[in-house]
Amino acid sequence: MSEILLLNGPNLGILGRREPEIYGSETLADIRQAVTEEVAGRGWTVVSKQHDCEGEMVRTVQDHYDAVGAIINPGALMIAGWSLRDALANYPRPWIEVHLSNIWAREGFRHQSILGSLASGVIFGLGADGYRLAARALVGMNGR
């Protein structure tokens, strides 16, 4: 059975309680369930990880090179997560960067991702639905 990596970065472990006016009320468990539903038809399983430490995210990426693809919300590491960028530059499968909030409607320092140019696609501002859309895109990228 094939797996898809769902990787969330710093401060995303408290989704549902963290500034719901910005990030919504869905939890990581809700998001995992939505992604699982999207990929179930392909027989894929979801490996869901959340780390507040960049080094742990790097290790998770490296440990899942055999996944069919990945959905990654790097959180604030999109701004200066250079070791995460290096790990993703070597990631052999398609992956999609997701952000819950509209980064362009927020502080100026959030307007650029050092990871986005490496991603197969970037989704932001659609809340938890962005993860579901990323899962659909990965299914399409892996042929129907």
Side-chain angles (χ1 to χ4, degrees):
M1 184 174 283
S2 299
E3 66 182 30
I4 184 171
L5 174 61
L6 174 60
L7 179 59
N8 285 279
N11 296 309
L12 295 170
I14 57 172
L15 285 180
R17 297 179 289 145
R18 180 185 181 204
E19 300 176 274
E21 67 281 2
I22 295 174
Y23 299 105
S25 59
E26 292 88 357
T27 66
L28 282 184
D30 297 330
I31 290 168
R32 183 185 199 283
Q33 182 60 40
V35 171
T36 297
E37 290 170 6
E38 283 296 327
V39 302
R42 289 298 301 265
W44 296 351
T45 59
V46 176
V47 175
S48 181
K49 303 285 184 180
Q50 186 276 324
H51 300 293
D52 291 319
C53 174
E54 184 175 3
E56 292 173 349
M57 291 186 70
V58 168
R59 174 63 58 207
T60 298
V61 167
Q62 293 170 347
D63 287 347
H64 290 89
Y65 276 4
D66 59 344
V68 296
I71 299 169
I72 300 176
N73 183 339
L77 291 175
M78 73 177 214
I79 299 165
W82 292 103
S83 62
L84 179 59
R85 186 187 194 285
D86 287 347
L88 289 168
N90 195 52
Y91 192 71
R93 310 288 187 209
W95 65 276
I96 298 178
E97 181 178 349
V98 173
H99 296 279
L100 294 154
S101 67
N102 180 350
I103 60 176
W104 287 100
R106 302 198 54 205
E107 304 92 340
F109 68 87
R110 298 182 194 272
H111 293 182
Q112 182 175 343
S113 170
I114 63 168
L115 308 174
S117 64
L118 300 174
S120 301
V122 179
I123 299 171
F124 58 87
L126 300 178
D129 288 339
Y131 289 89
R132 188 179 286 273
L133 293 171
R136 283 184 197 165
L138 287 174
V139 166
M141 290 175 194
N142 281 279
R144 293 209 153 115

